[in-house]
Amino acid sequence: MANKKSALVFLLFSITATVAASAQTQVFVPGNASGCFGNPDDGCVPLVAAIAVNAPGTITVAYVDGTVNYGEFGVEVGPNGGYYPANGGQYPLQEAKGISPHKPIQNMAALIGAFVPAARVAHKGFVAIDATKAASRVGIMPGSVFFVGESRTIEVKEAGTLFLGVNDNGVVDNSGGFNLEVTVQ
Amino acid sequence: MTKAKVALVLLACVAATAAASAQTQVFVPGTASGYFGRPLDLLVPFVPAITVDQSATITITYVSGTVTGSNGEAGPNGVPWNEGASQLPLQEARGTVGGKVNNLCALIGVFVPQARVTHKGFSPVDGTKDATPVGIMPGWLFFIGEGTTLEAKEAGTLFLGINDQLVSDNGGGFNVEVTVQ
Protein backbone atom coordinates (compact mmCIF):
# COMPACT_ATOMS: atom_id res chain seq x y z
CA MET A 1 0.00 0.00 0.00
CA ALA A 2 2.75 2.35 1.06
CA ASN A 3 4.74 1.42 -2.04
CA LYS A 4 1.73 2.03 -4.32
CA LYS A 5 1.17 5.41 -2.67
CA SER A 6 4.81 6.32 -3.11
CA ALA A 7 4.70 5.27 -6.74
CA LEU A 8 1.55 7.33 -7.34
CA VAL A 9 3.03 10.39 -5.66
CA PHE A 10 6.24 10.00 -7.68
CA LEU A 11 4.23 9.61 -10.90
CA LEU A 12 2.14 12.69 -10.14
CA PHE A 13 5.24 14.68 -9.26
CA SER A 14 6.94 13.58 -12.46
CA ILE A 15 3.96 14.60 -14.59
CA THR A 16 3.78 18.03 -12.90
CA ALA A 17 7.51 18.52 -13.33
CA THR A 18 7.25 17.61 -17.00
CA VAL A 19 4.42 20.06 -17.52
CA ALA A 20 6.30 22.78 -15.69
CA ALA A 21 9.46 21.94 -17.58
CA SER A 22 7.83 22.77 -20.90
CA ALA A 23 5.04 25.30 -20.75
CA GLN A 24 3.85 28.43 -22.48
CA THR A 25 1.55 31.24 -21.44
CA GLN A 26 0.37 34.67 -22.50
CA VAL A 27 0.54 37.53 -20.01
CA PHE A 28 -0.66 41.11 -20.02
CA VAL A 29 1.41 43.58 -17.98
CA PRO A 30 -0.49 46.82 -17.33
CA GLY A 31 1.43 50.08 -17.58
CA ASN A 32 0.97 50.86 -13.89
CA ALA A 33 2.45 47.60 -12.57
CA SER A 34 5.57 49.05 -10.97
CA GLY A 35 5.47 46.75 -7.96
CA CYS A 36 5.88 49.78 -5.71
CA PHE A 37 9.54 49.93 -6.75
CA GLY A 38 11.27 53.26 -7.19
CA ASN A 39 11.01 56.50 -5.25
CA PRO A 40 8.79 58.34 -4.74
CA ASP A 41 6.09 55.81 -5.59
CA ASP A 42 2.56 57.03 -6.04
CA GLY A 43 0.71 53.81 -6.68
CA CYS A 44 1.42 50.38 -5.30
CA VAL A 45 0.35 48.04 -8.09
CA PRO A 46 1.94 44.59 -7.69
CA LEU A 47 4.05 43.00 -10.39
CA VAL A 48 2.22 40.44 -12.54
CA ALA A 49 2.81 36.74 -11.93
CA ALA A 50 3.88 35.45 -15.36
CA ILE A 51 4.81 31.82 -14.79
CA ALA A 52 5.76 29.49 -11.96
CA VAL A 53 8.25 26.66 -12.28
CA ASN A 54 8.72 23.84 -9.82
CA ALA A 55 12.25 22.95 -10.89
CA PRO A 56 15.29 24.59 -12.50
CA GLY A 57 14.58 25.66 -16.05
CA THR A 58 14.99 28.16 -18.84
CA ILE A 59 12.36 30.89 -19.02
CA THR A 60 11.99 33.05 -22.09
CA VAL A 61 9.94 36.24 -22.16
CA ALA A 62 9.04 37.58 -25.61
CA TYR A 63 7.19 40.81 -26.33
CA VAL A 64 4.10 40.37 -28.52
CA ASP A 65 2.45 43.80 -28.73
CA GLY A 66 1.21 46.82 -26.81
CA THR A 67 2.61 50.14 -25.61
CA VAL A 68 2.68 52.09 -22.37
CA ASN A 69 1.84 55.73 -21.93
CA TYR A 70 3.64 56.93 -18.79
CA GLY A 71 1.66 60.13 -18.39
CA GLU A 72 3.14 62.29 -21.14
CA PHE A 73 0.41 63.18 -23.63
CA GLY A 74 0.88 61.37 -26.92
CA VAL A 75 4.04 59.51 -25.86
CA GLU A 76 3.93 55.73 -26.18
CA VAL A 77 6.85 53.46 -25.42
CA GLY A 78 7.53 49.84 -26.27
CA PRO A 79 9.08 47.20 -24.01
CA ASN A 80 12.56 48.73 -24.22
CA GLY A 81 11.21 51.93 -22.69
CA GLY A 82 11.91 55.48 -23.72
CA TYR A 83 13.88 58.60 -22.92
CA TYR A 84 12.93 60.58 -19.85
CA PRO A 85 14.73 63.67 -18.52
CA ALA A 86 16.20 63.86 -15.05
CA ASN A 87 13.48 64.50 -12.51
CA GLY A 88 14.98 63.78 -9.12
CA GLY A 89 13.37 60.40 -8.65
CA GLN A 90 14.62 56.82 -8.51
CA TYR A 91 13.31 54.23 -10.98
CA PRO A 92 12.87 50.53 -10.23
CA LEU A 93 15.93 49.50 -12.27
CA GLN A 94 17.99 52.12 -10.42
CA GLU A 95 16.73 50.93 -7.05
CA ALA A 96 17.74 47.44 -8.17
CA LYS A 97 21.34 48.66 -8.32
CA GLY A 98 21.17 50.92 -5.27
CA ILE A 99 21.80 54.05 -7.32
CA SER A 100 19.92 57.27 -7.83
CA PRO A 101 21.90 59.44 -10.26
CA HIS A 102 19.08 61.87 -11.11
CA LYS A 103 20.13 61.84 -14.75
CA PRO A 104 18.09 61.22 -17.90
CA ILE A 105 17.20 57.58 -18.54
CA GLN A 106 16.62 55.62 -21.74
CA ASN A 107 14.40 52.89 -20.32
CA MET A 108 11.41 54.74 -18.91
CA ALA A 109 8.46 52.33 -18.57
CA ALA A 110 10.49 49.44 -19.99
CA LEU A 111 9.42 45.88 -19.31
CA ILE A 112 11.14 44.53 -16.19
CA GLY A 113 11.07 41.26 -14.29
CA ALA A 114 11.98 39.53 -11.06
CA PHE A 115 12.32 35.83 -10.34
CA VAL A 116 11.25 35.00 -6.78
CA PRO A 117 12.06 31.65 -5.12
CA ALA A 118 9.05 29.44 -4.33
CA ALA A 119 9.69 29.55 -0.57
CA ARG A 120 9.29 33.32 -0.56
CA VAL A 121 6.24 33.33 -2.85
CA ALA A 122 4.56 30.73 -0.62
CA HIS A 123 5.40 32.65 2.56
CA LYS A 124 2.36 33.94 4.46
CA GLY A 125 1.76 37.58 3.62
CA PHE A 126 3.81 37.62 0.40
CA VAL A 127 2.82 40.29 -2.10
CA ALA A 128 4.69 40.94 -5.34
CA ILE A 129 5.86 44.41 -4.38
CA ASP A 130 9.02 46.10 -3.12
CA ALA A 131 10.07 44.46 0.14
CA THR A 132 11.87 47.58 1.33
CA LYS A 133 8.74 49.73 1.54
CA ALA A 134 7.14 48.10 4.59
CA ALA A 135 4.02 47.72 2.47
CA SER A 136 3.66 43.94 2.76
CA ARG A 137 4.77 41.36 5.32
CA VAL A 138 6.99 39.70 2.72
CA GLY A 139 7.94 41.17 -0.62
CA ILE A 140 10.50 41.16 -3.42
CA MET A 141 14.08 42.33 -2.88
CA PRO A 142 14.93 45.25 -5.19
CA GLY A 143 18.20 43.61 -6.21
CA SER A 144 16.31 40.84 -7.97
CA VAL A 145 14.67 43.21 -10.47
CA PHE A 146 16.14 43.11 -13.99
CA PHE A 147 15.57 44.59 -17.43
CA VAL A 148 13.59 42.43 -19.87
CA GLY A 149 12.90 44.71 -22.85
CA GLU A 150 11.78 43.03 -26.09
CA SER A 151 12.92 39.62 -24.95
CA ARG A 152 14.97 37.95 -22.30
CA THR A 153 15.94 34.41 -21.41
CA ILE A 154 16.84 33.55 -17.84
CA GLU A 155 18.18 30.36 -16.32
CA VAL A 156 16.52 29.67 -13.00
CA LYS A 157 18.22 27.32 -10.59
CA GLU A 158 15.25 26.57 -8.36
CA ALA A 159 11.48 26.53 -8.17
CA GLY A 160 9.85 29.94 -8.16
CA THR A 161 7.75 32.49 -9.98
CA LEU A 162 8.67 35.04 -12.61
CA PHE A 163 6.96 38.38 -12.07
CA LEU A 164 6.80 41.15 -14.66
CA GLY A 165 6.26 44.88 -14.44
CA VAL A 166 7.12 48.32 -15.72
CA ASN A 167 10.15 50.53 -14.99
CA ASP A 168 8.36 53.57 -13.61
CA ASN A 169 7.77 54.96 -10.14
CA GLY A 170 4.98 57.47 -10.72
CA VAL A 171 2.32 55.21 -12.23
CA VAL A 172 -1.09 56.67 -11.35
CA ASP A 173 -1.26 58.41 -14.72
CA ASN A 174 0.03 55.43 -16.72
CA SER A 175 -2.04 53.51 -19.23
CA GLY A 176 -1.72 50.74 -21.79
CA GLY A 177 0.46 47.72 -21.24
CA PHE A 178 2.44 44.91 -22.84
CA ASN A 179 1.22 41.54 -24.12
CA LEU A 180 3.90 38.91 -23.70
CA GLU A 181 4.56 35.28 -24.38
CA VAL A 182 6.37 33.38 -21.66
CA THR A 183 7.79 29.90 -22.22
CA VAL A 184 9.58 27.44 -19.99
CA GLN A 185 11.89 24.67 -21.11
CA MET B 1 63.10 54.69 -13.71
CA THR B 2 63.34 50.96 -13.04
CA LYS B 3 64.43 51.67 -9.49
CA ALA B 4 61.42 53.93 -9.03
CA LYS B 5 59.13 51.16 -10.27
CA VAL B 6 60.73 48.67 -7.89
CA ALA B 7 60.29 51.13 -5.03
CA LEU B 8 56.64 51.58 -5.99
CA VAL B 9 56.01 47.84 -6.01
CA LEU B 10 57.80 47.53 -2.65
CA LEU B 11 55.63 50.30 -1.22
CA ALA B 12 52.48 48.60 -2.50
CA CYS B 13 53.56 45.33 -0.90
CA VAL B 14 54.20 47.05 2.44
CA ALA B 15 50.77 48.74 2.30
CA ALA B 16 49.08 45.45 1.46
CA THR B 17 50.81 43.75 4.38
CA ALA B 18 49.73 46.52 6.71
CA ALA B 19 46.15 46.20 5.51
CA ALA B 20 46.36 42.43 5.90
CA SER B 21 47.00 42.82 9.63
CA ALA B 22 45.47 45.88 11.21
CA GLN B 23 43.40 46.88 14.20
CA THR B 24 41.22 49.86 14.97
CA GLN B 25 38.68 51.14 17.47
CA VAL B 26 35.41 52.61 16.25
CA PHE B 27 32.54 54.39 17.95
CA VAL B 28 29.12 53.66 16.46
CA PRO B 29 26.56 56.26 17.62
CA GLY B 30 23.06 55.07 18.49
CA THR B 31 21.60 57.14 15.66
CA ALA B 32 23.62 55.51 12.86
CA SER B 33 20.85 53.55 11.14
CA GLY B 34 22.13 54.28 7.64
CA TYR B 35 18.59 55.31 6.67
CA PHE B 36 17.57 51.65 6.53
CA GLY B 37 14.11 50.48 7.62
CA ARG B 38 10.76 52.25 7.55
CA PRO B 39 9.35 54.65 8.62
CA LEU B 40 12.34 56.95 8.97
CA ASP B 41 13.01 60.13 10.87
CA LEU B 42 16.71 60.93 10.51
CA LEU B 43 19.40 60.30 7.93
CA VAL B 44 22.57 59.26 9.76
CA PRO B 45 25.09 57.34 7.62
CA PHE B 46 26.80 54.16 8.74
CA VAL B 47 30.27 54.47 10.26
CA PRO B 48 33.27 53.31 8.19
CA ALA B 49 35.12 50.85 10.40
CA ILE B 50 37.97 49.52 8.30
CA THR B 51 39.05 49.26 4.67
CA VAL B 52 40.88 46.29 3.19
CA ASP B 53 42.63 46.36 -0.16
CA GLN B 54 42.35 42.63 -0.76
CA SER B 55 40.53 39.56 0.55
CA ALA B 56 40.85 39.31 4.32
CA THR B 57 39.37 38.05 7.56
CA ILE B 58 37.72 40.85 9.54
CA THR B 59 36.82 40.36 13.18
CA ILE B 60 34.43 42.75 14.93
CA THR B 61 34.30 42.73 18.73
CA TYR B 62 32.08 44.77 21.02
CA VAL B 63 34.05 46.60 23.70
CA SER B 64 31.65 48.82 25.65
CA GLY B 65 28.68 51.16 25.54
CA THR B 66 24.91 51.00 25.23
CA VAL B 67 22.32 52.59 23.01
CA THR B 68 19.57 54.45 24.77
CA GLY B 69 16.16 55.39 23.47
CA SER B 70 12.56 55.86 24.47
CA ASN B 71 12.29 52.07 24.74
CA GLY B 72 15.13 51.69 27.24
CA GLU B 73 18.75 50.68 26.93
CA ALA B 74 20.26 48.09 24.61
CA GLY B 75 23.59 46.28 24.36
CA PRO B 76 25.09 45.12 21.04
CA ASN B 77 22.71 42.15 20.77
CA GLY B 78 19.72 44.48 20.94
CA VAL B 79 16.51 44.05 22.91
CA PRO B 80 13.09 42.41 22.30
CA TRP B 81 10.52 44.63 20.67
CA ASN B 82 7.24 44.44 18.80
CA GLU B 83 7.85 46.31 15.58
CA GLY B 84 4.16 46.34 14.64
CA ALA B 85 3.88 47.17 10.93
CA SER B 86 7.24 48.92 10.74
CA GLN B 87 10.47 47.59 9.29
CA LEU B 88 13.85 47.46 10.99
CA PRO B 89 17.08 47.49 8.96
CA LEU B 90 17.67 43.76 9.47
CA GLN B 91 14.10 43.08 8.33
CA GLU B 92 14.62 45.20 5.24
CA ALA B 93 17.71 43.09 4.62
CA ARG B 94 15.48 40.01 4.36
CA GLY B 95 12.53 41.72 2.72
CA THR B 96 10.17 41.17 5.65
CA VAL B 97 8.14 43.54 7.82
CA GLY B 98 6.92 43.91 11.36
CA GLY B 99 6.17 41.59 14.25
CA LYS B 100 8.25 40.64 17.26
CA VAL B 101 12.02 40.96 17.11
CA ASN B 102 14.76 40.43 19.67
CA ASN B 103 17.42 42.67 18.16
CA LEU B 104 16.17 46.26 18.29
CA CYS B 105 19.19 48.58 18.38
CA ALA B 106 21.63 45.72 17.84
CA LEU B 107 25.04 46.32 16.26
CA ILE B 108 24.86 45.61 12.52
CA GLY B 109 27.30 45.82 9.65
CA VAL B 110 27.77 45.70 5.93
CA PHE B 111 30.79 45.07 3.73
CA VAL B 112 30.79 47.23 0.59
CA PRO B 113 33.05 46.45 -2.39
CA GLN B 114 35.71 49.05 -3.15
CA ALA B 115 34.31 49.83 -6.61
CA ARG B 116 31.08 51.02 -5.01
CA VAL B 117 32.71 52.89 -2.11
CA THR B 118 34.92 54.84 -4.49
CA HIS B 119 32.07 55.54 -6.92
CA LYS B 120 31.31 59.25 -7.28
CA GLY B 121 28.45 60.20 -4.98
CA PHE B 122 28.66 57.15 -2.74
CA SER B 123 27.31 57.54 0.77
CA PRO B 124 26.92 54.71 3.32
CA VAL B 125 23.13 54.86 3.44
CA ASP B 126 20.30 52.77 2.00
CA GLY B 127 20.63 52.72 -1.78
CA THR B 128 16.92 52.03 -2.30
CA LYS B 129 15.57 55.27 -0.84
CA ASP B 130 16.62 57.88 -3.41
CA ALA B 131 18.72 59.46 -0.67
CA THR B 132 22.12 59.26 -2.36
CA PRO B 133 23.50 58.89 -5.91
CA VAL B 134 25.09 55.59 -4.89
CA GLY B 135 24.28 53.69 -1.72
CA ILE B 136 24.24 50.29 -0.05
CA MET B 137 21.93 47.43 -0.98
CA PRO B 138 19.79 46.38 2.01
CA GLY B 139 20.36 42.69 1.36
CA TRP B 140 24.02 43.09 2.31
CA LEU B 141 23.32 43.98 5.96
CA PHE B 142 24.11 41.45 8.66
CA PHE B 143 23.80 41.09 12.42
CA ILE B 144 26.98 41.49 14.48
CA GLY B 145 25.86 41.65 18.10
CA GLU B 146 28.72 41.07 20.53
CA GLY B 147 31.01 39.99 17.76
CA THR B 148 31.43 38.19 14.49
CA THR B 149 34.06 37.27 11.93
CA LEU B 150 33.65 38.12 8.30
CA GLU B 151 35.51 36.70 5.31
CA ALA B 152 35.86 39.56 2.84
CA LYS B 153 36.49 38.13 -0.62
CA GLU B 154 37.63 41.37 -2.19
CA ALA B 155 38.81 44.89 -1.40
CA GLY B 156 36.24 47.07 0.29
CA THR B 157 35.07 48.80 3.44
CA LEU B 158 33.23 47.48 6.47
CA PHE B 159 30.57 49.88 7.74
CA LEU B 160 28.84 49.59 11.11
CA GLY B 161 25.46 50.81 12.34
CA ILE B 162 22.42 50.27 14.54
CA ASN B 163 19.35 48.11 13.91
CA ASP B 164 16.75 50.82 14.43
CA GLN B 165 14.86 53.05 12.03
CA LEU B 166 13.43 55.79 14.26
CA VAL B 167 16.67 57.10 15.68
CA SER B 168 16.12 60.77 16.46
CA ASP B 169 15.54 59.95 20.12
CA ASN B 170 18.50 57.56 20.37
CA GLY B 171 21.58 58.28 22.42
CA GLY B 172 24.78 56.54 23.42
CA GLY B 173 26.55 54.10 21.14
CA PHE B 174 28.93 51.17 20.94
CA ASN B 175 32.70 51.11 21.15
CA VAL B 176 33.90 48.39 18.82
CA GLU B 177 37.28 46.85 18.03
CA VAL B 178 37.89 45.77 14.46
CA THR B 179 40.84 43.65 13.39
CA VAL B 180 41.98 42.44 9.99
CA GLN B 181 44.10 39.40 9.28
Side-chain angles (χ1 to χ4, degrees), chain B residues 6-64:
Chain B
V6 170
L8 202 63
V9 169
L10 196 63
L11 203 65
C13 290
V14 171
T17 308
S21 179
Q23 185 173 340
T24 186
Q25 291 251 351
V26 183
F27 177 71
V28 183
T31 52
S33 69
Y35 215 48
F36 288 94
R38 280 187 192 263
L40 300 150
D41 63 357
L42 204 59
L43 196 163
V44 181
F46 273 4
V47 176
I50 205 158
T51 296
V52 295
D53 57 7
Q54 58 185 330
S55 59
T57 302
I58 304 176
T59 300
I60 308 136
T61 309
Y62 166 74
V63 176
S64 62

Side-chain angles (χ1 to χ4, degrees), chain A residues 27 29 59-67 77-82 93 106-113 146-154 162 164-165 167 178-183:
Chain A
V27 183
V29 178
I59 303 177
T60 299
V61 183
Y63 168 73
V64 176
D65 60 28
T67 57
V77 298
N80 290 328
L93 286 174
Q106 304 294 336
N107 54 14
M108 176 66 162
L111 180 64
I112 59 176
F146 55 83
F147 176 80
V148 175
E150 284 188 0
S151 72
R152 176 94 187 232
T153 297
I154 60 166
L162 174 69
L164 297 173
N167 185 42
F178 301 128
N179 286 299
L180 310 156
E181 190 172 272
V182 183
T183 56

Side-chain angles (χ1 to χ4, degrees), chain B residues 138-158:
Chain B
W140 298 348
L141 299 185
F142 56 85
F143 174 82
I144 294 173
E146 288 186 354
T148 194
T149 296
L150 161 75
E151 298 293 340
K153 294 175 181 170
E154 58 184 315
T157 299
L158 172 72

